[in-house]
Amino acid sequence: MSFSKREMENARKWAEDTAIQIENRLFLLEIGEPVEKLFPYQMNPHCKHCSFAGECLLKNEKEIFGGILYANSCK
């Protein structure tokens, strides 16, 4: 699969913007902003890469039934 220059530039821009947003939020986290405000819970496949995933699941768990964790609806 090949991508056009425009598609590659759009992807690069998205990645750069996302990285800047994360860096800004990490700075605010360092100066005391609550993690829940900066990184609101939104269950998705990327949770496995997040250092807050365990804490997030515990804070947002709705019920445990048969060993399966059911989390609150995604926002």
Side-chain angles (χ1 to χ4, degrees), residues 16-67:
E16 181 179 43
D17 291 346
T18 301
I20 290 169
Q21 288 177 11
I22 292 169
E23 286 178 348
N24 290 340
R25 290 177 185 182
L26 288 173
F27 170 75
L28 293 171
L29 185 64
E30 286 180 17
I31 62 172
E33 287 290 325
V35 69
E36 297 86 3
K37 178 181 175 187
L38 299 171
F39 298 99
Y41 173 70
Q42 295 179 342
M43 196 166 141
N44 67 65
H46 304 293
C47 291
K48 64 184 172 188
H49 303 290
C50 178
S51 60
F52 295 105
E55 181 181 340
C56 202
L57 285 173
L58 289 175
K59 285 184 178 180
N60 294 289
E61 78 178 285
K62 185 174 181 181
E63 64 185 61
I64 297 177
F65 180 76

